[in-house]
């Protein structure tokens, strides 16, 4: 089992990165460095509980800025990098792909170069872990699964940029012997997810009794995993994963979008003392997303067999935890949706 002194997390103010930092901070005594550009998706207030701890450090850095990235690597000398930072929303990639190409491809390349330079004399026990998505594999019909060996077939600018970064990470392993691992995970849900993604968007719109827009016929299938299960898989990989390997992570929990929206409507109706179908009248089918992948489903036997990973949460429990988090954190939702948070960031962090 590998052990580290200093773990550098990129994108630690985003949804999964925030949850990961909280998780690894609790589970270890590692020094944790969080580098994040604080885009619209990054919220520094998520980590207020640990911001003053002496083994946590935050640096506002754009991962495409090689000079700054190199100086941060020199300053902290991390022995593990867990790379979450990305532009992550498929719809935004359709309307404006450039940021996706910059951050997801150039940003990953910049980090790989910085790691290669930092570890050039000795890379024993070091690790660069790259977080990726099942969307790189393309779309499935009604049957079949994505395996680690499935050929890449990305369809959106988002998934194409992630596929590209995965290939570059693998190339650094084969060409320069950089110690890397990669994980490709299915759709996450849980606390701190920006309310433009399906589950938090629907929860926050239900709370506000706004329309619930569902793409196309609503029959697109996603394999949903609770964010903590994703993160404990990443934790297992960085400690015990084989260098050079890819691991699929999935929730083994396929649900159509329309079923998910109905479940959320019913669960919130129960929590708000309304009739079971009260919120379903808000559902509005809208024009389908361009190139909308029909079905994703992950086979995650490899990580189970090799690393003994098993997801800890069943869907029913974890979706309740998620809904309750949004009900208890309406101010967080208001802040990020209204732009109030961005104003606060520019006032407090523009020169940092
Ligand atoms: N959300 C999912 O369901 C899911 C599923 C599988 C894989 N992933 C992958 O997990 C990772 C995290 O996803 P997420 O949902 O937490 O994303 P997110 O959009 O919530 O967070 C991304 C974070 O990266 C930061 N960031 C963006 N551009 C940056 C840049 N140029 N420099 C530095 N920081 C930058 C943002 O400020 C934000 O804090 C991504 O790599 C994504 O591809 C996500």
């Amino acid at each position: 089992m590998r052990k580290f002194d200093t773990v550098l997390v990129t994108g630690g103010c985003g949804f999964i990165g925030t949850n990961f930092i909280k998780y690894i901070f609790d589970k270890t005594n590692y020094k944790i460095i969080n580098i994040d550009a604080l885009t619209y998706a990054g919220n520094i207030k998520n980590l207020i509980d640990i911001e003053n701890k002496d083994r946590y450090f935050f640096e506002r850095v754009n991962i495409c800025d090689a000079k700054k990235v190199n100086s941060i690597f020199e300053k902290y000398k991390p022995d593990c990098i867990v790379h979450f930072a990305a532009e992550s929303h498929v719809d935004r990639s359709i309307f404006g792909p450039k940021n996706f190409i910059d951050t997801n491809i150039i940003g990953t390349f910049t980090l790989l170069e910085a790691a290669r330079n930092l570890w050039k004399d000795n890379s024993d026990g070091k690790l660069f872990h790259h977080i990726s998505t099942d969307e790189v594999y393309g779309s499935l019909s009604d049957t079949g699964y994505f395996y680690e060996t499935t050929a890449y077939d990305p369809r959106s600018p988002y998934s194409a940029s992630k596929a590209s970064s995965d290939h570059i990470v693998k190339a650094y392993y084969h060409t320069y012997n950089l110690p890397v691992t990669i994980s490709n995970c299915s759709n996450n849900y849980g606390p701190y997810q920006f309310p433009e993604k399906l589950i938090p968007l629907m929860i926050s719109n239900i709370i506000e009794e706004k329309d619930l827009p569902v793409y196309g016929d609503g029959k697109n299938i996603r394999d949903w995993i609770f964010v903590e299960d994703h993160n404990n898989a990443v934790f297992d990989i960085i400690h015990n994963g084989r260098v050079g390997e890819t691991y699929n992570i999935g929730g083994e929990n396929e649900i159509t979008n329309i079923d998910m929206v109905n479940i959320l409507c019913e669960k919130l109706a129960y929590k708000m003392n309304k009739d079971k179908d009260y919120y379903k009248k808000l559902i509005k089918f809208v024009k389908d997303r361009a190139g909308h992948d029909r079905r994703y489903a992950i086979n995650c036997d490899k990580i189970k067999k090799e690393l003994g990973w098993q997801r800890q949460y069943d869907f029913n429990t974890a979706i309740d935890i998620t809904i309750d988090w949004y009900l208890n954190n309406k101010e967080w939702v208001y802040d990020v949706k209204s732009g109030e948070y961005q104003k606060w960031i520019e006032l407090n962090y523009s020169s940092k």
Side-chain angles (χ1 to χ4, degrees):
M1 178 172 163
R2 278 180 287 269
K3 289 246 186 231
F4 306 106
D5 291 319
T6 304
V7 174
L8 184 144
V9 177
T10 72
C13 295
F15 161 47
I16 307 176
T18 288
N19 284 286
F20 181 75
I21 288 185
K22 288 175 190 280
Y23 185 87
I24 195 168
F25 193 85
D26 283 351
K27 291 257 177 227
T28 69
N29 289 319
Y30 300 161
K31 193 192 275 185
I32 308 292
I33 320 302
N34 174 11
I35 70 171
D36 197 299
L38 300 178
T39 68
Y40 80 96
N43 192 328
I44 197 168
K45 292 182 180 176
N46 295 351
L47 290 159
I48 208 149
D49 305 351
I50 61 166
E51 70 178 7
N52 293 320
K53 303 279 185 197
D54 58 7
R55 59 188 178 88
Y56 172 75
F57 302 85
F58 172 75
E59 301 274 359
R60 187 178 192 183
V61 176
N62 185 323
I63 57 166
C64 300
D65 184 337
K67 209 169 151 204
K68 273 199 185 159
V69 168
N70 280 311
S71 77
I72 297 291
F73 276 44
E74 276 306 322
K75 181 173 168 190
Y76 295 104
K77 301 201 174 359
D79 43 8
C80 177
I81 290 139
V82 185
H83 174 33
F84 289 95
E87 285 292 337
S88 71
H89 191 206
V90 178
D91 287 344
R92 285 182 189 246
S93 84
I94 294 168
F95 297 117
K98 184 170 184 311
N99 284 348
F100 289 73
I101 305 304
D102 289 345
T103 290
N104 300 358
I105 304 178
I106 306 295
T108 302
F109 159 73
T110 305
L111 292 164
L112 287 165
E113 276 292 281
R116 184 161 84 94
N117 186 46
L118 181 69
W119 300 335
K120 60 181 179 300
D121 296 327
N122 181 6
S123 64
D124 291 350
K126 315 283 197 295
L127 190 74
F128 186 109
H129 181 69
H130 176 62
I131 306 288
S132 192
T133 165
D134 60 353
E135 300 188 31
V136 298
Y137 297 123
S139 181
L140 291 166
S141 56
D142 292 344
T143 56
Y145 293 93
F146 296 136
Y147 294 84
E148 286 82 356
T149 49
T150 302
Y152 276 27
D153 186 20
R155 312 295 184 90
S156 70
Y158 165 65
S159 54
S161 67
K162 292 298 290 187
S164 171
S165 64
D166 292 8
H167 288 312
I168 298 169
V169 172
K170 287 178 203 178
Y172 269 64
Y173 168 67
H174 290 293
T175 310
Y176 304 114
N177 280 327
L178 191 78
V180 307
T181 45
I182 298 178
S183 53
N184 294 84
C185 188
S186 60
N187 283 52
N188 286 222
Y189 63 96
Y192 300 103
Q193 188 167 30
F194 195 83
E196 66 185 358
K197 303 277 175 82
L198 183 74
I199 291 180
L201 174 71
M202 294 301 157
I203 296 173
S204 68
N205 281 12
I206 291 170
I207 294 170
E208 293 174 43
E209 298 206 21
K210 285 188 178 160
D211 283 356
L212 307 176
V214 175
Y215 281 132
D217 62 4
K219 298 277 174 57
N220 302 67
I221 295 176
R222 299 293 179 260
D223 171 4
W224 291 98
I225 185 170
F226 189 49
V227 64
E228 189 159 329
D229 280 328
H230 180 183
N231 283 333
N232 65 43
V234 171
F235 190 86
D236 287 353
I237 296 168
I238 63 173
H239 289 101
N240 296 313
R242 280 188 296 140
V243 168
E245 292 294 314
T246 290
Y247 295 90
N248 278 353
I249 307 168
E252 298 178 305
N253 179 39
E254 291 181 47
I255 303 179
T256 64
N257 288 346
I258 187 64
D259 284 348
M260 178 65 84
V261 175
N262 279 317
I263 291 168
L264 296 172
C265 285
E266 289 181 17
K267 282 194 172 278
L268 272 141
Y270 179 77
K271 287 175 195 287
M272 311 290 267
N273 289 320
K274 304 269 190 203
D275 289 341
K276 183 167 161 253
D277 293 332
Y278 178 79
Y279 292 119
K280 292 183 186 169
K281 62 177 186 281
L282 301 171
I283 295 173
K284 297 276 174 317
F285 289 94
V286 298
K287 187 170 177 284
D288 209 353
R289 168 193 278 168
H292 201 177
D293 293 338
R294 194 65 176 170
R295 174 173 169 259
Y296 302 142
I298 277 271
N299 176 294
C300 50
D301 287 350
K302 178 174 171 179
I303 189 171
K304 286 181 175 171
K305 283 193 193 132
E306 269 192 27
L307 306 185
W309 174 79
Q310 187 61 51
R311 84 191 144 80
Q312 305 294 313
Y313 289 85
D314 67 83
F315 174 70
N316 205 34
T317 308
I319 198 70
D320 272 330
I321 294 172
T322 306
I323 294 171
D324 290 344
W325 188 86
Y326 282 93
L327 284 171
N328 293 328
N329 289 278
K330 288 183 190 151
E331 204 178 318
W332 182 94
V333 175
Y334 171 79
D335 260 15
V336 297
K337 267 178 122 171
S338 65
E340 283 301 314
Y341 165 73
Q342 274 303 328
K343 282 190 216 153
W344 180 88
I345 274 292
E346 291 320 320
L347 268 179
N348 290 282
Y349 275 87
S350 56
S351 59
K352 293 190 184 173

